Amino acid sequence: MTTGIALNAADAGNQVDACVQLGHEAAAAGLRSAWFGQTFGADSPLLAAVVGREVPGLQVGTSAIPVFGRHPLLVSSQAQTAQAATHGRYHLGLALGTKFLTETGFGIPHERPVARLREFLTALRQLTETGTADFHGELITATTPIPARVPGAEGGVPLLVAAMGPQALRASGELADGILPFLAGPRALSEHIVPAVTAAAEAAGRPAPRIVALVYGVVTDDVDSVREKAAEQLAFYEQFPSYARAIGLSGGRRGVDVAVVGDERTVAAEVRRYRDAGATEVVFSGTDIAGESDRRRTWALLGELAG
């Protein structure tokens, strides 16, 4: 069982410098991985490459790049470069994205997301494994009139998907190496998500998928106050059907209902529940919500649970 954390540091004076420092702290605490989100700010594969190169031994990943507004050729270049920079410790996460951010930010329609995901994964797998592609899909074309290989990344790049819905889980099981569910509690994982993606992988003749569960949580004694803050931060996700469905399948109504907030004993028990539900890795986000002292407490516990 491995544990990791999601790093942000978007409010720091220099986000890259801050993430490198936090990466060193994470490794010193015994954490195995650090993950970086992708919105309209920092380039997450580049940020992961810098941190991974500066912090030897720490696994780094992107969670996750939306497939809208990107092309497999460009994402492959980013991912292979990050993989070469970290000598094989980079993990690429992809996402379907949301209608609001896609159409508002890029000005393009958020249509047929699962079909686009399938084509994106198919082309990207060719590129990251062989450095070439000759893919002509209904939505995406990716060919390589010149080589797209990055020396140092010959081992390929693990491909993960922030999938939770039935169609996305099926596509991920068939075409990816694992999934990155967020706000999906142990019940949703064990009863719905893990069985669906595992069955799809088995039917496609692929290995058992990785289940990298992203959990919003922190170790703290100020439980009520922190839960109030968490409720405010997680409310954003409640408007999106995929997250709302995962929360409901977990037995909750709001995002905060699947947040893990409490003392060391409480949080450790919840991490074990995720493991028992099928998570191969548990990655905590939001660990800075209660301040530096509780962030360090959280990282220390997760380091002890890394296994």
Side-chain angles (χ1 to χ4, degrees):
M1 183 64 183
T2 62
T3 60
I5 40 85
L7 293 182
N8 188 349
D11 295 329
N14 184 302
Q15 187 174 358
V16 176
D17 290 345
C19 282
V20 169
Q21 179 58 41
L22 290 170
H24 281 294
E25 289 187 31
L31 291 158
R32 303 297 177 82
S33 64
W35 297 77
F36 305 88
Q38 181 66 61
T39 54
F40 296 142
D43 182 86
S44 55
L46 179 55
L47 192 54
V50 172
V51 173
R53 193 165 182 84
E54 292 287 326
V55 188
L58 187 69
Q59 302 288 319
V60 290
T62 292
S63 59
I65 296 177
V67 294
F68 285 90
R70 275 88 176 177
H71 190 279
L73 280 166
L74 300 181
V75 174
S76 171
S77 293
Q78 292 178 294
Q80 288 190 75
T81 303
Q83 192 67 299
T86 60
H87 294 267
R89 288 179 283 117
Y90 176 70
H91 309 256
L92 172 61
L94 298 173
L96 278 70
T98 67
K99 182 180 179 67
F100 170 71
L101 292 178
T102 299
E103 298 189 353
T104 304
F106 292 108
I108 58 177
H110 187 263
E111 297 175 348
R112 303 180 64 191
V114 176
R116 180 171 292 275
L117 173 68
R118 283 184 170 277
E119 293 192 5
F120 206 104
L121 282 168
T122 302
L124 188 60
R125 176 78 69 184
Q126 294 178 18
L127 289 162
T128 55
E129 290 188 352
T130 70
T132 63
D134 186 15
F135 180 79
H136 301 267
E138 189 178 351
L139 302 173
I140 295 173
T141 294
T143 65
T144 47
I146 58 175
R149 182 181 68 88
V150 176
E154 288 82 0
V157 180
L159 304 180
L160 307 161
V161 179
M164 294 181 288
Q167 294 184 62
L169 288 170
R170 189 177 304 115
S172 300
E174 294 172 2
L175 300 169
D177 300 306
I179 57 173
L180 293 155
F182 178 52
L183 297 183
R187 185 195 299 181
L189 287 178
S190 64
E191 297 180 5
H192 301 277
I193 292 175
V194 174
V197 71
T198 301
E202 290 178 353
R206 294 189 55 78
R210 291 168 55 190
I211 312 295
V212 184
L214 273 72
V215 181
Y216 192 97
V218 64
V219 174
T220 184
D221 295 325
D222 191 9
V223 175
D224 291 340
S225 175
V226 171
R227 287 188 68 83
E228 287 183 10
K229 293 179 182 178
E232 294 176 3
Q233 291 195 7
L234 296 175
F236 171 78
Y237 297 95
E238 297 163 11
Q239 63 186 303
F240 302 114
S242 60
Y243 291 112
R245 179 179 182 273
I247 293 166
L249 293 175
S250 304
R253 292 188 303 167
R254 303 187 61 198
V256 69
D257 294 335
V258 292
V260 176
V261 181
D263 61 14
E264 281 84 356
R265 182 176 179 179
T266 299
V267 173
E270 287 299 303
V271 171
R272 285 191 288 270
R273 287 187 65 214
Y274 275 92
R275 177 195 63 194
D276 294 340
T280 58
E281 300 149 70
V282 176
V283 175
F284 266 53
S285 68
T287 58
D288 58 350
I289 189 174
E292 283 296 291
S293 177
D294 283 344
R295 175 185 68 77
R296 292 191 176 96
R297 282 179 66 185
T298 307
W299 289 21
L301 173 67
L302 295 174
E304 293 174 4
L305 298 174

